[in-house]
mmCIF file with all atom_site columns, all heavy atoms in Angstrom:
data_model
loop_
_atom_site.group_PDB
_atom_site.id
_atom_site.type_symbol
_atom_site.label_atom_id
_atom_site.label_alt_id
_atom_site.label_comp_id
_atom_site.label_asym_id
_atom_site.label_entity_id
_atom_site.label_seq_id
_atom_site.pdbx_PDB_ins_code
_atom_site.Cartn_x
_atom_site.Cartn_y
_atom_site.Cartn_z
_atom_site.occupancy
_atom_site.B_iso_or_equiv
_atom_site.pdbx_formal_charge
_atom_site.auth_seq_id
_atom_site.auth_comp_id
_atom_site.auth_asym_id
_atom_site.auth_atom_id
_atom_site.pdbx_PDB_model_num
ATOM 1   N N   . ALA T 1 184 ? -85.462 100.282 -93.837  1.00 98.00 ? 1071 ALA T N   1
ATOM 2   C CA  . ALA T 1 184 ? -86.521 99.316  -94.125  1.00 98.00 ? 1071 ALA T CA  1
ATOM 3   C C   . ALA T 1 184 ? -85.871 97.962  -94.343  1.00 98.00 ? 1071 ALA T C   1
ATOM 4   O O   . ALA T 1 184 ? -84.648 97.871  -94.537  1.00 98.00 ? 1071 ALA T O   1
ATOM 5   C CB  . ALA T 1 184 ? -87.283 99.735  -95.373  1.00 98.00 ? 1071 ALA T CB  1
ATOM 6   N N   . HIS T 1 185 ? -86.710 96.930  -94.333  1.00 98.00 ? 1072 HIS T N   1
ATOM 7   C CA  . HIS T 1 185 ? -86.163 95.591  -94.579  1.00 98.00 ? 1072 HIS T CA  1
ATOM 8   C C   . HIS T 1 185 ? -85.502 95.553  -95.961  1.00 98.00 ? 1072 HIS T C   1
ATOM 9   O O   . HIS T 1 185 ? -86.020 96.157  -96.905  1.00 98.00 ? 1072 HIS T O   1
ATOM 10  C CB  . HIS T 1 185 ? -87.290 94.557  -94.486  1.00 98.00 ? 1072 HIS T CB  1
ATOM 11  C CG  . HIS T 1 185 ? -86.780 93.167  -94.350  1.00 98.00 ? 1072 HIS T CG  1
ATOM 12  N ND1 . HIS T 1 185 ? -86.541 92.369  -95.446  1.00 98.00 ? 1072 HIS T ND1 1
ATOM 13  C CD2 . HIS T 1 185 ? -86.398 92.456  -93.264  1.00 98.00 ? 1072 HIS T CD2 1
ATOM 14  C CE1 . HIS T 1 185 ? -86.061 91.210  -95.020  1.00 98.00 ? 1072 HIS T CE1 1
ATOM 15  N NE2 . HIS T 1 185 ? -85.963 91.238  -93.696  1.00 98.00 ? 1072 HIS T NE2 1
ATOM 16  N N   . PRO T 1 186 ? -84.359 94.842  -96.108  1.00 98.00 ? 1073 PRO T N   1
ATOM 17  C CA  . PRO T 1 186 ? -83.670 94.821  -97.409  1.00 98.00 ? 1073 PRO T CA  1
ATOM 18  C C   . PRO T 1 186 ? -84.534 94.262  -98.544  1.00 98.00 ? 1073 PRO T C   1
ATOM 19  O O   . PRO T 1 186 ? -84.305 94.572  -99.710  1.00 98.00 ? 1073 PRO T O   1
ATOM 20  C CB  . PRO T 1 186 ? -82.442 93.929  -97.167  1.00 98.00 ? 1073 PRO T CB  1
ATOM 21  C CG  . PRO T 1 186 ? -82.584 93.350  -95.804  1.00 98.00 ? 1073 PRO T CG  1
ATOM 22  C CD  . PRO T 1 186 ? -83.587 94.161  -95.059  1.00 98.00 ? 1073 PRO T CD  1
ATOM 23  N N   . SER T 1 187 ? -85.548 93.484  -98.208  1.00 98.00 ? 1074 SER T N   1
ATOM 24  C CA  . SER T 1 187 ? -86.460 92.950  -99.230  1.00 98.00 ? 1074 SER T CA  1
ATOM 25  C C   . SER T 1 187 ? -87.419 94.019  -99.749  1.00 98.00 ? 1074 SER T C   1
ATOM 26  O O   . SER T 1 187 ? -88.131 93.794  -100.722 1.00 98.00 ? 1074 SER T O   1
ATOM 27  C CB  . SER T 1 187 ? -87.294 91.829  -98.616  1.00 98.00 ? 1074 SER T CB  1
ATOM 28  O OG  . SER T 1 187 ? -88.126 92.385  -97.599  1.00 98.00 ? 1074 SER T OG  1
ATOM 29  N N   . ALA T 1 188 ? -87.494 95.164  -99.062  1.00 97.00 ? 1075 ALA T N   1
ATOM 30  C CA  . ALA T 1 188 ? -88.480 96.227  -99.348  1.00 97.00 ? 1075 ALA T CA  1
ATOM 31  C C   . ALA T 1 188 ? -89.929 95.714  -99.240  1.00 97.00 ? 1075 ALA T C   1
ATOM 32  O O   . ALA T 1 188 ? -90.838 96.241  -99.869  1.00 97.00 ? 1075 ALA T O   1
ATOM 33  C CB  . ALA T 1 188 ? -88.227 96.897  -100.703 1.00 97.00 ? 1075 ALA T CB  1
ATOM 34  N N   . THR T 1 206 ? -86.523 110.947 -97.924  1.00 98.00 ? 1093 THR T N   1
ATOM 35  C CA  . THR T 1 206 ? -86.867 110.054 -99.040  1.00 98.00 ? 1093 THR T CA  1
ATOM 36  C C   . THR T 1 206 ? -88.122 110.559 -99.766  1.00 98.00 ? 1093 THR T C   1
ATOM 37  O O   . THR T 1 206 ? -88.208 110.448 -100.990 1.00 98.00 ? 1093 THR T O   1
ATOM 38  C CB  . THR T 1 206 ? -87.050 108.592 -98.571  1.00 98.00 ? 1093 THR T CB  1
ATOM 39  O OG1 . THR T 1 206 ? -88.022 108.537 -97.527  1.00 98.00 ? 1093 THR T OG1 1
ATOM 40  C CG2 . THR T 1 206 ? -85.735 108.005 -98.067  1.00 98.00 ? 1093 THR T CG2 1
ATOM 41  N N   . MET T 1 326 ? -79.687 103.947 -95.327  1.00 98.00 ? 1213 MET T N   1
ATOM 42  C CA  . MET T 1 326 ? -80.323 104.966 -96.181  1.00 98.00 ? 1213 MET T CA  1
ATOM 43  C C   . MET T 1 326 ? -80.748 104.340 -97.510  1.00 98.00 ? 1213 MET T C   1
ATOM 44  O O   . MET T 1 326 ? -81.821 104.650 -98.040  1.00 98.00 ? 1213 MET T O   1
ATOM 45  C CB  . MET T 1 326 ? -79.337 106.110 -96.412  1.00 98.00 ? 1213 MET T CB  1
ATOM 46  C CG  . MET T 1 326 ? -79.937 107.338 -97.020  1.00 98.00 ? 1213 MET T CG  1
ATOM 47  S SD  . MET T 1 326 ? -81.199 108.150 -95.991  1.00 98.00 ? 1213 MET T SD  1
ATOM 48  C CE  . MET T 1 326 ? -80.194 109.119 -94.883  1.00 98.00 ? 1213 MET T CE  1
ATOM 49  N N   . LYS T 1 327 ? -79.919 103.451 -98.026  1.00 98.00 ? 1214 LYS T N   1
ATOM 50  C CA  . LYS T 1 327 ? -80.252 102.789 -99.298  1.00 98.00 ? 1214 LYS T CA  1
ATOM 51  C C   . LYS T 1 327 ? -81.551 101.987 -99.140  1.00 98.00 ? 1214 LYS T C   1
ATOM 52  O O   . LYS T 1 327 ? -82.435 102.020 -100.002 1.00 98.00 ? 1214 LYS T O   1
ATOM 53  C CB  . LYS T 1 327 ? -79.091 101.864 -99.693  1.00 98.00 ? 1214 LYS T CB  1
ATOM 54  C CG  . LYS T 1 327 ? -79.255 101.183 -101.023 1.00 98.00 ? 1214 LYS T CG  1
ATOM 55  C CD  . LYS T 1 327 ? -77.905 100.596 -101.475 1.00 98.00 ? 1214 LYS T CD  1
ATOM 56  C CE  . LYS T 1 327 ? -78.019 99.849  -102.789 1.00 98.00 ? 1214 LYS T CE  1
ATOM 57  N NZ  . LYS T 1 327 ? -78.616 98.516  -102.627 1.00 98.00 ? 1214 LYS T NZ  1
ATOM 58  N N   . SER T 1 328 ? -81.684 101.301 -98.004  1.00 98.00 ? 1215 SER T N   1
ATOM 59  C CA  . SER T 1 328 ? -82.905 100.504 -97.790  1.00 98.00 ? 1215 SER T CA  1
ATOM 60  C C   . SER T 1 328 ? -84.127 101.420 -97.674  1.00 98.00 ? 1215 SER T C   1
ATOM 61  O O   . SER T 1 328 ? -85.208 101.093 -98.162  1.00 98.00 ? 1215 SER T O   1
ATOM 62  C CB  . SER T 1 328 ? -82.763 99.629  -96.537  1.00 98.00 ? 1215 SER T CB  1
ATOM 63  O OG  . SER T 1 328 ? -82.859 100.407 -95.365  1.00 98.00 ? 1215 SER T OG  1
ATOM 64  N N   . ALA T 1 329 ? -83.940 102.579 -97.032  1.00 98.00 ? 1216 ALA T N   1
ATOM 65  C CA  . ALA T 1 329 ? -85.059 103.532 -96.899  1.00 98.00 ? 1216 ALA T CA  1
ATOM 66  C C   . ALA T 1 329 ? -85.469 104.039 -98.276  1.00 98.00 ? 1216 ALA T C   1
ATOM 67  O O   . ALA T 1 329 ? -86.656 104.199 -98.579  1.00 98.00 ? 1216 ALA T O   1
ATOM 68  C CB  . ALA T 1 329 ? -84.652 104.700 -96.002  1.00 98.00 ? 1216 ALA T CB  1
ATOM 69  N N   . TRP T 1 330 ? -84.478 104.268 -99.126  1.00 98.00 ? 1217 TRP T N   1
ATOM 70  C CA  . TRP T 1 330 ? -84.751 104.792 -100.467 1.00 98.00 ? 1217 TRP T CA  1
ATOM 71  C C   . TRP T 1 330 ? -85.437 103.720 -101.327 1.00 98.00 ? 1217 TRP T C   1
ATOM 72  O O   . TRP T 1 330 ? -86.396 103.994 -102.049 1.00 98.00 ? 1217 TRP T O   1
ATOM 73  C CB  . TRP T 1 330 ? -83.442 105.283 -101.090 1.00 98.00 ? 1217 TRP T CB  1
ATOM 74  C CG  . TRP T 1 330 ? -83.560 105.788 -102.508 1.00 98.00 ? 1217 TRP T CG  1
ATOM 75  C CD1 . TRP T 1 330 ? -82.812 105.412 -103.572 1.00 98.00 ? 1217 TRP T CD1 1
ATOM 76  C CD2 . TRP T 1 330 ? -84.472 106.796 -103.004 1.00 98.00 ? 1217 TRP T CD2 1
ATOM 77  N NE1 . TRP T 1 330 ? -83.193 106.082 -104.701 1.00 98.00 ? 1217 TRP T NE1 1
ATOM 78  C CE2 . TRP T 1 330 ? -84.218 106.951 -104.378 1.00 98.00 ? 1217 TRP T CE2 1
ATOM 79  C CE3 . TRP T 1 330 ? -85.488 107.565 -102.422 1.00 98.00 ? 1217 TRP T CE3 1
ATOM 80  C CZ2 . TRP T 1 330 ? -84.931 107.833 -105.189 1.00 98.00 ? 1217 TRP T CZ2 1
ATOM 81  C CZ3 . TRP T 1 330 ? -86.213 108.457 -103.228 1.00 98.00 ? 1217 TRP T CZ3 1
ATOM 82  C CH2 . TRP T 1 330 ? -85.927 108.587 -104.580 1.00 98.00 ? 1217 TRP T CH2 1
ATOM 83  N N   . GLU T 1 331 ? -84.978 102.493 -101.223 1.00 98.00 ? 1218 GLU T N   1
ATOM 84  C CA  . GLU T 1 331 ? -85.604 101.411 -102.002 1.00 98.00 ? 1218 GLU T CA  1
ATOM 85  C C   . GLU T 1 331 ? -87.061 101.211 -101.580 1.00 98.00 ? 1218 GLU T C   1
ATOM 86  O O   . GLU T 1 331 ? -87.950 100.997 -102.402 1.00 98.00 ? 1218 GLU T O   1
ATOM 87  C CB  . GLU T 1 331 ? -84.801 100.100 -101.851 1.00 98.00 ? 1218 GLU T CB  1
ATOM 88  C CG  . GLU T 1 331 ? -83.539 100.163 -102.690 1.00 98.00 ? 1218 GLU T CG  1
ATOM 89  C CD  . GLU T 1 331 ? -82.524 99.073  -102.360 1.00 98.00 ? 1218 GLU T CD  1
ATOM 90  O OE1 . GLU T 1 331 ? -82.761 98.280  -101.428 1.00 98.00 ? 1218 GLU T OE1 1
ATOM 91  O OE2 . GLU T 1 331 ? -81.484 99.057  -103.050 1.00 98.00 ? 1218 GLU T OE2 1
ATOM 92  N N   . TRP T 1 332 ? -87.303 101.311 -100.289 1.00 98.00 ? 1219 TRP T N   1
ATOM 93  C CA  . TRP T 1 332 ? -88.665 101.183 -99.763  1.00 98.00 ? 1219 TRP T CA  1
ATOM 94  C C   . TRP T 1 332 ? -89.549 102.324 -100.279 1.00 98.00 ? 1219 TRP T C   1
ATOM 95  O O   . TRP T 1 332 ? -90.669 102.122 -100.737 1.00 98.00 ? 1219 TRP T O   1
ATOM 96  C CB  . TRP T 1 332 ? -88.609 101.165 -98.240  1.00 98.00 ? 1219 TRP T CB  1
ATOM 97  C CG  . TRP T 1 332 ? -89.918 101.318 -97.528  1.00 98.00 ? 1219 TRP T CG  1
ATOM 98  C CD1 . TRP T 1 332 ? -90.317 102.379 -96.764  1.00 98.00 ? 1219 TRP T CD1 1
ATOM 99  C CD2 . TRP T 1 332 ? -91.013 100.380 -97.498  1.00 98.00 ? 1219 TRP T CD2 1
ATOM 100 N NE1 . TRP T 1 332 ? -91.567 102.168 -96.253  1.00 98.00 ? 1219 TRP T NE1 1
ATOM 101 C CE2 . TRP T 1 332 ? -92.016 100.949 -96.697  1.00 98.00 ? 1219 TRP T CE2 1
ATOM 102 C CE3 . TRP T 1 332 ? -91.225 99.130  -98.067  1.00 98.00 ? 1219 TRP T CE3 1
ATOM 103 C CZ2 . TRP T 1 332 ? -93.233 100.314 -96.443  1.00 98.00 ? 1219 TRP T CZ2 1
ATOM 104 C CZ3 . TRP T 1 332 ? -92.449 98.482  -97.823  1.00 98.00 ? 1219 TRP T CZ3 1
ATOM 105 C CH2 . TRP T 1 332 ? -93.430 99.077  -97.020  1.00 98.00 ? 1219 TRP T CH2 1
ATOM 106 N N   . GLU T 1 333 ? -89.037 103.534 -100.225 1.00 98.00 ? 1220 GLU T N   1
ATOM 107 C CA  . GLU T 1 333 ? -89.798 104.692 -100.714 1.00 98.00 ? 1220 GLU T CA  1
ATOM 108 C C   . GLU T 1 333 ? -90.158 104.505 -102.185 1.00 98.00 ? 1220 GLU T C   1
ATOM 109 O O   . GLU T 1 333 ? -91.302 104.739 -102.592 1.00 98.00 ? 1220 GLU T O   1
ATOM 110 C CB  . GLU T 1 333 ? -88.947 105.966 -100.540 1.00 98.00 ? 1220 GLU T CB  1
ATOM 111 C CG  . GLU T 1 333 ? -89.698 107.255 -100.802 1.00 98.00 ? 1220 GLU T CG  1
ATOM 112 C CD  . GLU T 1 333 ? -90.719 107.547 -99.716  1.00 98.00 ? 1220 GLU T CD  1
ATOM 113 O OE1 . GLU T 1 333 ? -90.317 107.694 -98.553  1.00 98.00 ? 1220 GLU T OE1 1
ATOM 114 O OE2 . GLU T 1 333 ? -91.930 107.601 -100.037 1.00 98.00 ? 1220 GLU T OE2 1
ATOM 115 N N   . GLN T 1 334 ? -89.198 104.044 -102.972 1.00 98.00 ? 1221 GLN T N   1
ATOM 116 C CA  . GLN T 1 334 ? -89.462 103.850 -104.408 1.00 98.00 ? 1221 GLN T CA  1
ATOM 117 C C   . GLN T 1 334 ? -90.515 102.766 -104.609 1.00 98.00 ? 1221 GLN T C   1
ATOM 118 O O   . GLN T 1 334 ? -91.356 102.853 -105.490 1.00 98.00 ? 1221 GLN T O   1
ATOM 119 C CB  . GLN T 1 334 ? -88.173 103.460 -105.136 1.00 98.00 ? 1221 GLN T CB  1
ATOM 120 C CG  . GLN T 1 334 ? -87.212 104.630 -105.238 1.00 98.00 ? 1221 GLN T CG  1
ATOM 121 C CD  . GLN T 1 334 ? -85.869 104.165 -105.783 1.00 98.00 ? 1221 GLN T CD  1
ATOM 122 O OE1 . GLN T 1 334 ? -85.099 103.489 -105.111 1.00 98.00 ? 1221 GLN T OE1 1
ATOM 123 N NE2 . GLN T 1 334 ? -85.611 104.496 -107.013 1.00 98.00 ? 1221 GLN T NE2 1
ATOM 124 N N   . LYS T 1 335 ? -90.442 101.732 -103.768 1.00 97.00 ? 1222 LYS T N   1
ATOM 125 C CA  . LYS T 1 335 ? -91.399 100.645 -103.934 1.00 97.00 ? 1222 LYS T CA  1
ATOM 126 C C   . LYS T 1 335 ? -92.827 101.100 -103.579 1.00 97.00 ? 1222 LYS T C   1
ATOM 127 O O   . LYS T 1 335 ? -93.768 100.837 -104.323 1.00 97.00 ? 1222 LYS T O   1
ATOM 128 C CB  . LYS T 1 335 ? -91.015 99.457  -103.043 1.00 97.00 ? 1222 LYS T CB  1
ATOM 129 C CG  . LYS T 1 335 ? -92.014 98.378  -103.237 1.00 97.00 ? 1222 LYS T CG  1
ATOM 130 C CD  . LYS T 1 335 ? -91.826 97.169  -102.413 1.00 97.00 ? 1222 LYS T CD  1
ATOM 131 C CE  . LYS T 1 335 ? -93.114 96.372  -102.537 1.00 97.00 ? 1222 LYS T CE  1
ATOM 132 N NZ  . LYS T 1 335 ? -93.286 95.404  -101.513 1.00 97.00 ? 1222 LYS T NZ  1
ATOM 133 N N   . ILE T 1 336 ? -92.974 101.820 -102.446 1.00 96.00 ? 1223 ILE T N   1
ATOM 134 C CA  . ILE T 1 336 ? -94.356 102.161 -102.060 1.00 96.00 ? 1223 ILE T CA  1
ATOM 135 C C   . ILE T 1 336 ? -94.957 103.257 -102.944 1.00 96.00 ? 1223 ILE T C   1
ATOM 136 O O   . ILE T 1 336 ? -96.164 103.380 -103.026 1.00 96.00 ? 1223 ILE T O   1
ATOM 137 C CB  . ILE T 1 336 ? -94.501 102.520 -100.556 1.00 96.00 ? 1223 ILE T CB  1
ATOM 138 C CG1 . ILE T 1 336 ? -93.539 103.626 -100.142 1.00 96.00 ? 1223 ILE T CG1 1
ATOM 139 C CG2 . ILE T 1 336 ? -94.326 101.291 -99.684  1.00 96.00 ? 1223 ILE T CG2 1
ATOM 140 C CD1 . ILE T 1 336 ? -93.725 104.064 -98.680  1.00 96.00 ? 1223 ILE T CD1 1
#
Side-chain angles (χ1 to χ4, degrees):
H1072 196 269
S1074 65
T1093 55
M1213 192 63 82
K1214 184 165 178 283
S1215 74
W1217 177 232
E1218 284 166 357
W1219 168 248
E1220 189 70 61
Q1221 289 172 288
K1222 180 182 167 198
I1223 54 176

